[in-house]
Each structure stands twice: as C-alpha cells, then as structure tokens.
Amino acid sequence: MFYIYIYKADGFSSIQDPQSFDPFSPRTQQVHIEKQMAVAHWLVLFVTVIVVSNMRDVNGALPAATLEAIAKANANGPYIGIVIPNLFEMGPLLNSSSYSAAEIIDFSGRRFRFGTVEERKVILVMTGLGVINAAITTQLLLSFFNVEGVIHYGIAGNANPDLHIGDVAIPQYWAHTGLWNWQRYGQGPEDELALESSGDYTRTLGYLRFANYTTNVTGCASHDNLLNNIWYQPEEVFPVTGTPEERQHEFWVPVGSTYFAVAKKLEGLKLESCVNATTCLNYTPSVSTVERGVSASIYLDNSAYRSFIYDKFNVSPVDMESTSVALICYQQNTSFIAIRALSDLAGGGSAESNEADTFVNLASDNAVTVVVEFIKQLSSSTL
C-alpha cells in the first residue's frame, strides 16, 4: 500500500482579475515560487509511485515471488484448511505426532503453514482474536489456496448446563449474536424497528430486554431501563452461487452436512481429564455433537447472559470466531465444521473449579485430539 499526498500552493487561486495582474509584484513572484515548489512535489510523487509500483506484481496485491509460491503450493492440493484463533490453541497441533510440517507462505500479515495431519494435506493458519480477524483470515485462505474444506477449532465458554469443562462440542449450526438493532427507549416489541420496513432489520429473531435484569430495586411492581431492548439480527450474505449485490439473510449458518455426519461418529469419544499430576477433573470429558453455537467479539463471563442465550437459542459453545469462519465458508460454498473444547462455564456458578486460565491447556489439547480423530474419520469415510 502507498499513500498519495497532494500539495496545493495557496497563491494559485489568489489572482482573480487578469487586468490587475502585475508580473513584477512581490506577490506574483511568490506565486511563481509556490508553483515551482508544487511542480517539484509532483515530480517527487510521480517518481515515488513508479518506484513503489515496480516493487509489486502487476496486480498490485502481492509480490511475484509470493504468487509463484502460492501457485506451486496449489498444484499440490487440494488441502483441508485448519483455521485456529490463537497460538496457544495451535501449539498442541504443531507438537502432535500426527502433524508433519512442510513449507510456510507469509503474506497479508498471516502465516500459512503447509503440512499433513494423518497424511491428509492441510494448511494451518492463525486468525487472531475476534470475528473480524477470523473472517479476513478465512477469506484469504479460500481466495488464494486450493482448499476443499475448512476445520475450525479452539476453546470456548459453555452455556449448556448438560456439558462440562473439558468436553468438546461440535454444533450443527452457528450464529453471530453481535449484530443488533438497539431499540429507542420508550418503544417495545409491538413497535416497528428503524429501517425494518426496507428489509434491513427484523423482529423475527427476538430481543433482550435490559429491564428484566434490574437488581436491588424494592418498593415498585415494575422496572424500566434506559437501555431498553436489543433485537438480534441476521447477517447479510452474498453467496458465490447467488447474484452479486443481491443480498440474502442468514442467522443460523449450517456446517457441512458431510462433515457433521463424520463428527457424529466421534460422539462419546473419551478425552483427557488432567491438566497435570495435581490438577484433574473428577470426570472424563467426552465429545458431543450439539444443535447450536454462537459467536460475537465479546468475552462472555456473565451468568445472566449465558442463561439468557441458552434459554432463548439452545446454544452450547460461545466463542469469538466460529461464526465468522462459518459465514465465509457458507458464502464461498466450502464445507466447514467447528470443533470447540469447553474451558469454562461462562460466568461461573458451577460446583467445578471454573477459571478458564486453569483449563485452557487441557481444553486446547482435547480440541486437537478431536481434530486429529475427525481427519482420520474423514479420510476413511465413504460418505
């Protein structure tokens, strides 16, 4: 990327009347000097643009050497893309005996690691935290590489009281719960939302009423809250199988049907229960396929909201990236699944020790165990 700076000499617009023009006046001489300086600036700019442009490939995006490396890698594909939020979640896979590393291609601030998992060709890439990073990284992966499907994995908070720390949840549907229409105070469920009539927003998915969570109030029968209501909204999507600029809306994004059928074969798989020799869970974690998971760029550590989204949407894992990966894969018509190991009950409140910091490594290890088993099953599947 390069920047263009435009210089304007202040005196250029100061000569309004040609009849009063004096070529020898101090002001006119100053204008000539300013013009010469502006020309010099433009010359420097022109040379800079030429130099910077020549440093890049003709498409203005990536150096020719990088594009050549990508083309060479793609000739050896297709690959399974493995998309991972953070390095601490990637580490157990990099150190796994099931993973064999090959070359690395770096561009656009991302590192694409090539190798095999159980002899299946893969590309590993770390996204960074949150829905935007996850979406950007997944789009880069699918736009530049020969990818047949995407596995996303990591740790997550848990909203489902039937699941426990260390368990691995594999949802069939994902939703982004961070896109809201925040309703004006004084309006309620019967009032049309702003821009609802134009199809931009909807009341079909339901809302959160802040007044329902008012505490420490006595002596009144009803409570109100200036924050009023937030209404959950579906994402606008533009699938490659659709018409450009013709939007569709999706809230619950399905994972790949074939991938989910493979995941069902992992139901009940027993997982590690000990962080170390002195810190163990009093049960054996296992794998469950579940109905729904949700994502937003919010670290959820609030029991009231956890209970709300579980009761409203029947969700199990809550995280910050999975739905972004799902939405990109959905729009790019690419098979996808997300595998999330539960590191804590979001907001606490269980009898178990419930700090994410305590179990983050255990959860990461269990997620990687399931990813490896999933790839084994995928490779041997006749589906």
Side-chain angles (χ1 to χ4, degrees):
M1 181 182 294
F2 57 87
Y3 298 89
I4 297 177
Y5 295 92
I6 298 177
Y7 295 86
K8 176 180 180 296
D10 293 337
F12 282 5
S13 61
S14 63
I15 303 174
Q16 304 294 334
D17 183 4
Q19 300 299 322
S20 63
F21 176 68
D22 179 1
F24 301 105
S25 70
R27 180 58 184 147
T28 302
Q29 294 299 314
Q30 179 64 30
V31 169
H32 284 313
I33 293 171
E34 291 173 348
K35 285 183 178 180
Q36 291 171 352
M37 291 177 63
V39 170
H41 284 309
W42 277 107
L43 181 59
V44 171
L45 173 64
F46 178 77
V47 172
T48 302
V49 169
I50 294 298
V51 170
V52 173
S53 297
N54 286 339
M55 292 171 62
R56 295 180 174 269
D57 191 77
V58 291
N59 69 358
L62 295 175
T66 301
L67 292 174
E68 183 179 351
I70 291 171
K72 182 178 178 181
N74 285 337
N76 293 323
Y79 301 89
I80 294 175
I82 303 182
V83 178
I84 309 153
N86 293 295
L87 285 175
F88 72 83
E89 292 157 312
M90 181 185 289
L93 182 54
L94 295 178
N95 295 325
S96 170
S97 60
S98 296
Y99 174 69
S100 178
E103 68 268 25
I104 288 173
I105 299 177
D106 292 337
F107 67 90
S108 297
R110 300 301 193 270
R111 171 159 290 177
F112 297 88
R113 302 170 183 263
F114 292 77
T116 60
V117 172
E118 293 294 316
E119 301 183 356
R120 192 73 178 254
K121 293 178 180 179
V122 297
I123 306 173
L124 278 56
V125 61
M126 190 199 81
T127 67
L129 189 70
V131 296
I132 293 176
N133 276 325
I136 290 171
T137 306
T138 306
Q139 187 64 66
L140 286 170
L141 174 71
L142 298 185
S143 294
F144 282 93
F145 295 106
N146 181 5
V147 173
E148 61 179 292
V150 171
I151 301 170
H152 175 62
Y153 81 86
I155 67 169
N158 176 31
N160 185 342
D162 294 329
L163 298 179
H164 305 281
I165 292 170
D167 287 343
V168 169
I170 308 177
Q172 188 172 11
Y173 298 93
W174 286 91
H176 177 216
T177 50
L179 183 59
W180 302 339
N181 185 308
W182 205 319
Q183 194 171 32
R184 182 180 299 181
Y185 178 71
Q187 296 182 346
E190 69 284 355
D191 296 305
E192 185 177 279
L193 301 175
L195 303 180
E196 182 178 349
S197 61
S198 63
D200 292 334
Y201 298 101
T202 179
R203 282 173 287 163
T204 59
L205 295 171
Y207 67 102
L208 169 64
R209 181 174 182 262
F210 283 95
N212 290 345
Y213 296 90
T214 303
T215 62
N216 300 323
V217 176
T218 58
C220 60
S222 63
H223 314 305
D224 206 355
N225 192 303
L226 292 173
L227 293 176
N228 202 26
N229 307 318
I230 54 171
W231 292 83
Y232 293 92
Q233 301 299 317
E235 291 283 348
E236 289 187 356
V237 296
F238 300 86
V240 294
T241 54
T243 302
E245 299 183 352
E246 187 173 299
R247 69 182 178 181
Q248 301 175 29
H249 289 93
E250 294 290 342
F251 188 69
W252 293 113
V253 182
V255 303
S257 58
T258 298
Y259 278 16
F260 193 69
V262 172
K264 295 286 284 185
K265 297 180 178 182
L266 304 179
E267 285 266 17
L269 177 68
K270 301 303 181 184
L271 301 169
E272 181 58 56
S273 60
C274 291
V275 176
N276 51 45
T278 59
T279 305
C280 291
L281 299 166
N282 59 6
Y283 55 87
T284 301
S286 62
V287 177
S288 295
T289 55
V290 297
E291 184 181 16
R292 293 170 172 174
V294 295
S295 308
S297 283
I298 302 166
Y299 185 88
L300 175 54
D301 195 24
N302 181 278
S303 60
Y305 189 70
R306 175 197 75 214
S307 298
F308 169 80
I309 60 170
Y310 175 74
D311 292 340
K312 187 165 191 61
F313 295 128
N314 190 33
V315 303
S316 296
V318 292
D319 68 33
M320 302 174 70
E321 297 87 18
S322 293
T323 306
S324 284
V325 184
L327 281 162
I328 297 299
C329 290
Y330 176 80
Q331 293 179 88
Q332 297 299 311
N333 198 29
T334 301
S335 295
F336 158 82
I337 199 159
I339 295 169
R340 286 286 184 159
L342 308 177
S343 61
D344 62 289
L345 180 66
S350 72
E352 303 158 7
S353 177
N354 200 53
E355 295 303 320
D357 288 347
T358 303
F359 296 103
V360 64
N361 291 332
L362 173 66
S364 297
D365 289 344
N366 283 353
V368 168
T369 297
V370 177
V371 168
V372 171
E373 291 300 317
F374 177 87
I375 292 175
K376 285 182 184 178
Q377 290 289 335
L378 186 65
S379 296
S380 62
S381 175
T382 58
L383 292 174

